Amino acid sequence: MKAIITGSTGMLGKGVLLECIDDPPVEQVLLINRKHLDISHPKVKEVIHKDFRDFNSIKEQLEGYDACFHCMGVSSARMSEEKFTEITYTMSKALATVLYSINPNMVFNYVSGAGTDSTEKSSTMWARVKGKTENMILNMGFKDAYMFRPGAILPERGTKSNTKLYHMLYVVTRPLFPLMKRMKSVTTTTRIGRAMINLYDHPQSLKHLEGADINKVADIK
C-alpha cells in the first residue's frame, strides 16, 4: 500500500505517520504539508503545498497512491462558521475531488470527531460542518471511505498536540493514561494509525467509527 497523509505536523497525523513507517506492507508515504516536517525516512516523501483550496497544481505528485489518511483539522473555538467551513469542508472537498479523479479505487479515511451530526442540522456549528464533510466524502464514490469519530485521544510515541490548552491537559492527565486506556471509548494515536492501515485490507460495513470501533479495527491481525 502507498498512502497519502495530511496533517502530519499535528499530533494525530504524526501518530498515523509513525505507524505507516513501521508497517512493512506500507511501502511509501506522501505527506502533504504547508510547512516542512523534520523527518527523514526512505519511505517518506513530502510535498509542500500552501493553498489547500486547490490541489491541481500538485496533481501529478498525487498519482500512484492507494489510500488517503486525511488527518488535517482545526479546533472550532473562536472561529466563524465561514472560516471553519473553509478549512474543514472546502479544503477536504478540494483534496477528495482531485484524488477521486486520479484514483476512484482509493480508500479515503477522514478524521472527524465524536458528536458529528450526519443530518447537518445540529445547533452546534462544528457538528454540522463536519457532518457535511463526512457526507461529501462518503458520497464522492471512492472504493471505500471511513469517518473516524474519536472522542478522547491519548498521544503516544512522543506525539503532542499543537494546541496549548490540549497539550497542558495531556501533561496533567498523563499519570491517568494507563487507566484511561482501559476505557473502550478512549483511543490513542497509535490505534488510530493501526486502524487506518488495517482498513485497507480489512473492509468494514460500519463507515462511522467511534472510539471503541477504532480500537476493535486496530486490533485486527
Side-chain angles (χ1 to χ4, degrees):
M1 178 180 66
K2 296 181 179 180
I4 293 172
I5 301 178
T6 67
S8 62
T9 56
M11 181 187 85
L12 184 51
K14 181 69 173 295
V16 173
L17 170 59
L18 293 175
E19 294 310 304
C20 287
I21 288 174
D22 288 350
D23 192 88
V26 180
E27 55 183 81
Q28 192 172 26
V29 179
L30 177 69
L31 309 179
I32 308 177
N33 290 325
R34 289 191 185 88
K35 59 183 180 180
H36 177 64
L37 179 65
D38 188 18
I39 189 167
S40 178
H41 192 277
K43 281 187 180 183
V44 180
K45 294 183 178 181
E46 182 181 47
V47 56
I48 301 300
H49 185 61
K50 299 297 184 180
D51 188 2
F52 273 55
R53 295 167 299 182
D54 186 352
F55 291 86
N56 284 295
S57 63
I58 61 169
K59 186 173 181 178
E60 291 184 0
Q61 298 180 65
L62 306 181
E63 295 178 355
Y65 290 86
D66 310 297
C68 177
F69 303 152
H70 188 31
C71 304
M72 184 190 79
V74 294
S75 169
S76 63
R78 300 180 182 178
M79 190 175 290
S80 68
E81 181 167 353
E82 180 181 8
K83 186 62 176 178
F84 187 71
T85 299
E86 178 185 25
I87 296 173
T88 303
Y89 176 81
T90 305
M91 293 183 180
S92 296
K93 185 177 182 180
L95 175 64
T97 300
V98 166
L99 291 180
Y100 181 76
S101 71
I102 296 171
N103 180 15
N105 287 319
M106 179 177 283
V107 176
F108 196 107
N109 293 336
Y110 169 60
V111 179
S112 183
T116 295
D117 176 34
S118 296
T119 70
E120 306 178 30
K121 297 179 181 179
S122 173
S123 59
T124 304
M125 180 270 285
W126 69 262
R128 291 196 309 272
V129 175
K130 286 198 171 185
K132 181 180 180 181
T133 305
E134 287 186 350
N135 291 338
M136 175 272 296
I137 294 170
L138 287 169
N139 293 325
M140 183 67 65
F142 286 107
K143 173 186 175 181
D144 214 346
Y146 298 91
M147 307 298 105
F148 280 59
R149 292 181 173 183
I153 306 171
L154 303 182
E156 293 185 324
R157 302 189 63 182
T159 61
K160 57 184 179 180
S161 176
N162 292 329
T163 304
K164 291 183 178 180
L165 178 60
Y166 291 162
H167 177 63
M168 291 175 61
L169 182 62
Y170 285 131
V171 171
V172 172
T173 59
R174 187 167 293 277
L176 300 176
F177 280 9
L179 180 62
M180 294 173 68
K181 287 179 182 178
R182 298 178 184 177
M183 301 171 63
K184 290 183 178 180
S185 60
V186 175
T187 190
T188 67
T189 53
T190 298
R191 282 184 156 181
I192 290 176
R194 291 303 321 153
M196 287 197 173
I197 294 169
N198 285 344
L199 285 169
Y200 182 74
D201 287 320
H202 302 278
Q204 305 290 306
S205 58
L206 184 65
K207 303 306 176 184
H208 299 91
L209 306 177
E210 306 285 343
D213 307 311
I214 293 168
N215 294 338
K216 183 177 180 180
V217 175
D219 291 336
I220 295 176
K221 301 299 183 182

